[in-house]
Structure formats: C-alpha cells, structure tokens
Amino acid sequence: MKPADIVTASVDIVKGPNFVKIAALSLLSLSLIALFYHPPSFIPSVVSSASSSAVGDVTTSISSSISPQPSPPPTTTSSSNSSQRQPPPPWLTVGPRIGIVDETGAMAVDFDTGEFDSSAVEELRNLSDWRDEEKKEENVAIGVRLKYKKYKMCEETKSDYIPCLDNVEEITRLNLSGSVERFERHCPEEGKGLNCLVPMPKGYKRSIPWPRSRDEVLFNNVPHTRLVEDKDGQNWKKKKGDKLIFPGGGSQFIHGPDEYLNQISQMVPDIAFGQRTRVALDIDCGVASFAAFLLQRNVNTLSIAPKDAHENQIQVALERGVPAMAAVFASRRLLYPSQAFDLIHCSRCRIDWIRDDGILLLETNRMLRAGGYFVYKREANLQEQWREMQDLTSRICWELVKKEGDIAVWQKPLNNSCYLNRDAGAQPPLCNSSDAPDNVWYVSLRACITLLPENGYGANVTTWPMRLHYPPDRLQSTIMDASISRKELFKAESKYWNEIIESYVNAFRWKEMNFRNVMDMRAGFGGYHSRITFEFYIYNVTIDFI
C-alpha cells in the first residue's frame, strides 16, 4: 500500500463514527479520574473539551489530556504541596442528628439521644474500679508514681454535722444564741469549712426499705435520744428494741394522720388531694408523719423544720423515706419561688404568725399559689392569738373557707381585685412594684403583700397528672435564656429524660436497688423527676426528693 493510501485510510478512520465514540468514552473516563483527584476548577475545561463536535477538536482534546503537562510553579505554602501529594480523604457517612437543637439553631421535640453500648455496662457499674485501673495503666506507661491525698475521718460527734447550720464560730460572733436566726444558714468562710469526712453513726446499717420505713426505722441510723425522751408521752415516736416506731397518734393527730387527712378532705372537698393539690409544704413538720401519709394520696409534700433543741428531726424524716429539708421562718425568705405550693400546712407549729406585722404569714402568702389553701391547726388554749390570726388573714384577703374544732382552712385569692380594693393606707401594704417575688437567695423578709401576675399565671394550672406533661403558662414569664421556644424546650427536655432514665433502668438495674430519696442537683423543668417517678411507680418504688 502506498503512503498516500495509508494517510487516506487513517483520516477515514478518524472521521468514522466508531472512533468518535471511542474517543468520547475515553475522554469521559479521563474526566472522571481528573474530577476525583483534582480540585473542581478543572471541571470547566473538561466539559468544554467534551462538548467539541469537530474531529479535529476531539483529537486536540485527547492529545492535550494525554500529553505531559508542564508542572505549575511551586508555591510558598507547604499546605498546597502536601495537599497535592496526599490521597483524597475517604467518603464521609452522615449519621443521625443527636440533640435537641437542629443545625439552624431551632428547638425540636423529635430528636435522638444516641445508642448505648451494652458491652460497657459492667464497666460502668464498676466505674470507680475502672478509673483506678486506668490510672494504674497510665502511670506504668509514663513511669510515674502518684500519691493520692486521702481525707481523714471526722470524730464521731460530727455524724450529724451540717456545715452552714452548725457553724458555731459564726453564730457566736453574730451573738445569735437567743434568736431564732441562729437556725438560718451561716456558712463558714473560705478555708474554714470541714476538712474531713462526716462519719456514719456508730452501728449504722442499711435503711429499712419503703413502705415499711414509714412506720419504723433503725435507731442506730438516727440515734436521737433527746427527741425520743421529749416526745415519749405524745405517742408519735417511740423506741422499741433496736428500732424507732411511729404509731401515728400524738398531740398533732389524735386519731392518726390518715384520719386527720380524711377530716381535711371532708371539710374542703375542693382541696382534692392528688388531683388539684399535688405539691404541698408542711411547716415545722416534726418527724414528717403528715407528709408520709399524704404520699399514698399522690401528693408530693416537702417537710421543713429547724435543726434545734430536738436535734435533727429532718434526718429522721429522710430515714423514713419522706422528702424533707432543714429550714426555719426567721429573717430571710425560704428558698422557694412565689406560688410554689398548692397547699401549706402547719399543725401546732411553734411559729408566731402575727409578730412583726404578720411578716411570717406574708412569707407564707408569697409561696402559696393563687387559689391555694393554708391549713392551720392551732393550740387550743391560745384564744387571743386565734383572734389576731383571723384579723390578719382577712386583711391579706384570705377567705376562711371552713373551721372545725381547732382546724381552720383559708384560701388565697385568685387575682389582685381584693388587694386593690382595700381602703387607702390599709395594712399590711402592697409590695413595691420593683420587688421580685421569685428572688430568694439571702433575701430578707418583707412585711408586704406580694401581688399576683395580672395575666393569671400560676393560678391556671391543670389537674394532676395532666399538668405533668403540659408546659404551664407561667413558663412564659420565667427568666431564662430561651425567649420564644420555651414550650418546645419543656417538651424536648421531657422526651430527653424519658429516654435517658429508660437507659439507666436497663443498664444499671435501678429497679433492683430500692431507691427512695433522690436529689436532682440541676432540676431544670423537672423532667428527670417526672420520668423517674413514672418509671418507679411501675416497679412499686417511689422516688420523691427531687
């Protein structure tokens, strides 16, 4: 074959449809490879080459892609060189979103809390041992021996020590020996706190589980002989063998706490324990028998009493499995916000409600919810004090709903109309508009009437258990970071704790541990409490002190 014929045949092959297809396919393959290994800036030139229809353009594009290209001039940064030498990163797999805030910052009720690694359950149950082993391995690896300082044990006399209540030095310095203010918080200065471990009482044993603990506890766990001796004749606490027993009678409840609660329910049926009345406060509670029997009526009752001459009655209440806290009516607000309680109770409590222009009863008014009830059982021989109590309650617009024997039940108004319609100069005065009724940390008591919110927040709660699951209206007036997504945050927190507590129960076998008193140190909206109460009601175990 002549050279001219060879050239003609080659041109015919190049112009043929099969060659064009093969060239286009090769170009496409090279383009995909370039797209994978080079930055996106290469894409326009490839697309431009692939769009050429003339054979000459295709041939030129092929030759330019295959032929060696001159290297780009070196840059001054090392990151550019390293990025050209290293292979591309592997493809990323996007997992499910975890958390209650989406990528735009909006709150979401539907979210995932992530999965729990079941293989780590045993390690988590023995978390302290695991940490010790980890420290040992780390120390061996780095060739360092560490010494851990251990706190010494305090003397046995401090087994009932409470730092801010037993600060004898500060109480002496303030000369409070004859004042009820000595039972308030007086915390030690920095560096003067307890520097040892408070020991358990001698002979301490594991507590008797609920519900038996309502009626009996081990004496060595709460060895308060003074309380037994002073109250022995009142039949509400006795020592029997190695136990303290609580017969349930006494001067407070002659026929027992259960019959006493029945009497209150019959006097004022609208109190509706466990439905309308869900959160209660028992003042000067003794050993908390009132609260212990309210629990079976589905009422969460917080019992408070000072740590006084009768020793720490609160410790006895907690040993029984009843929510309790050391607190006293003295010179400062109690540590609860306004409208905190549906019902406040005081049976023969040693409180002078009418002193200092009724300042203590006005503090009770601040904590009582709009439309809430104050139940008071007075001493039978204090007739003059009773008359003054009636006068004071009428001046703060409380309605005496029912009186039967020594028991009286008042109801707080639902709104401010009664307060605003009083005569000019009526006492006690209304609180200043700048007063913040929810501020309680070291805030002095005020002898004035706390006004209710004009929008009715606090009074319009639903009945239990509906109110557990629906955000209250007063949430909108609570000072917090969220401004418009508060209800969504409330629901999201509830869902979050539902899943977390379910994991705790399954992983740590909580239902086998007979928990009774639990403290949540960052309660938030109470989602932890609501779920743990529900979960443990299922297993016939009640969690109360949250």
Side-chain angles (χ1 to χ4, degrees), residues 188-255:
E189 297 177 5
E190 186 175 355
K192 292 186 178 182
L194 204 63
N195 197 30
C196 56
L197 299 176
V198 174
M200 290 183 289
K202 188 175 181 179
Y204 182 90
K205 295 180 181 178
R206 185 169 183 178
S207 301
I208 295 174
W210 181 271
R212 280 178 51 214
S213 64
R214 187 192 69 179
D215 302 319
E216 61 178 23
V217 299
L218 296 173
F219 175 76
N220 285 340
N221 290 8
V222 281
H224 298 315
T225 55
R226 171 80 181 271
L227 188 59
V228 175
E229 293 167 359
D230 289 355
K231 303 297 182 181
D232 185 64
Q234 296 189 23
N235 199 38
W236 57 276
K237 178 180 178 182
K238 289 181 175 293
K239 187 176 185 296
K240 185 176 181 180
D242 64 342
K243 296 177 182 176
L244 287 176
I245 61 172
F246 308 94
S251 57
Q252 286 184 314
F253 320 114
I254 298 174
H255 303 292

Side-chain angles (χ1 to χ4, degrees), residues 230-533:
D230 289 355
K231 303 297 182 181
D232 185 64
Q234 296 189 23
N235 199 38
W236 57 276
K237 178 180 178 182
K238 289 181 175 293
K239 187 176 185 296
K240 185 176 181 180
D242 64 342
K243 296 177 182 176
L244 287 176
I245 61 172
F246 308 94
S251 57
Q252 286 184 314
F253 320 114
I254 298 174
H255 303 292
D258 223 19
E259 185 59 34
Y260 177 71
L261 292 172
N262 287 338
Q263 183 179 358
I264 293 173
S265 296
Q266 292 166 5
M267 289 172 60
V268 187
D270 285 345
I271 286 179
F273 289 125
Q275 297 176 10
R276 187 186 185 281
T277 298
R278 169 64 182 173
V279 184
L281 176 70
D282 186 19
I283 300 170
D284 206 7
C285 63
V287 292
S289 292
F290 178 79
F293 282 82
L294 259 183
L295 290 171
Q296 65 193 34
R297 299 177 186 238
N298 207 17
V299 178
N300 277 350
T301 306
L302 179 61
S303 301
I304 62 171
K307 185 182 179 183
D308 56 11
H310 289 132
E311 302 167 318
N312 195 356
Q313 301 176 73
I314 295 306
Q315 187 178 357
V316 179
L318 291 170
E319 186 71 17
R320 294 179 74 181
V322 180
M325 182 176 179
V328 62
F329 277 83
S331 64
R332 304 192 196 109
R333 286 177 173 174
L334 270 67
L335 301 181
Y336 316 110
S338 65
Q339 299 196 81
F341 300 99
D342 304 321
L343 180 143
I344 297 179
H345 171 261
C346 169
S347 175
R348 301 186 66 181
C349 50
R350 301 183 307 275
I351 295 178
D352 186 0
W353 292 111
I354 57 177
R355 77 163 174 88
D356 297 332
D357 300 321
I359 195 170
L360 301 183
L361 196 66
L362 289 166
E363 169 64 0
T364 303
N365 180 72
R366 181 189 68 84
M367 296 185 295
L368 189 62
R369 187 182 298 279
Y373 295 91
F374 179 68
V375 180
Y376 176 61
K377 184 178 182 181
R378 66 182 177 89
E379 297 279 2
N381 59 344
L382 299 178
Q383 294 295 332
E384 182 61 29
Q385 187 186 62
W386 169 249
R387 283 191 290 271
E388 292 179 352
M389 184 83 166
Q390 285 183 298
D391 175 63
L392 177 59
T393 53
S394 64
R395 284 188 282 116
I396 64 174
C397 294
W398 283 10
E399 178 189 358
L400 181 59
V401 181
K402 186 80 173 180
K403 182 181 181 298
E404 192 172 282
D406 295 332
I407 304 174
V409 181
W410 284 275
Q411 186 176 24
K412 181 178 175 177
L414 287 165
N415 52 54
N416 294 320
S417 60
C418 175
Y419 301 143
L420 300 177
N421 291 327
R422 295 188 311 160
D423 295 337
Q427 296 295 320
L430 301 179
C431 291
N432 193 297
S433 59
S434 63
D435 178 62
D438 293 335
N439 290 348
V440 296
W441 197 244
Y442 291 105
V443 175
S444 298
L445 293 179
R446 290 163 168 72
C448 59
I449 299 174
T450 302
L451 288 172
L452 294 167
E454 292 295 336
N455 49 28
Y457 289 172
N460 50 0
V461 293
T462 56
T463 57
W464 182 268
M466 293 288 288
R467 89 192 239 190
L468 173 67
H469 304 290
Y470 292 93
D473 288 338
R474 70 181 299 183
L475 182 64
Q476 302 305 317
S477 61
T478 303
I479 299 175
M480 56 187 297
D481 292 337
S483 57
I484 60 175
S485 58
R486 301 180 184 195
K487 291 187 176 182
E488 290 78 4
L489 185 62
F490 180 97
K491 295 177 181 178
E493 192 215 37
S494 297
K495 184 177 187 298
Y496 170 80
W497 281 116
N498 285 349
E499 298 186 13
I500 292 297
I501 296 302
E502 185 177 355
S503 299
Y504 287 174
V505 170
N506 294 334
F508 302 116
R509 301 174 185 170
W510 272 17
K511 64 181 180 180
E512 302 174 9
M513 295 184 181
N514 293 325
F515 288 144
R516 178 58 190 171
N517 290 326
V518 176
M519 176 180 286
D520 182 7
M521 299 185 70
R522 192 169 183 176
F525 299 120
Y528 176 86
H529 181 196
S530 64
R531 179 57 192 180
I532 208 170
T533 301

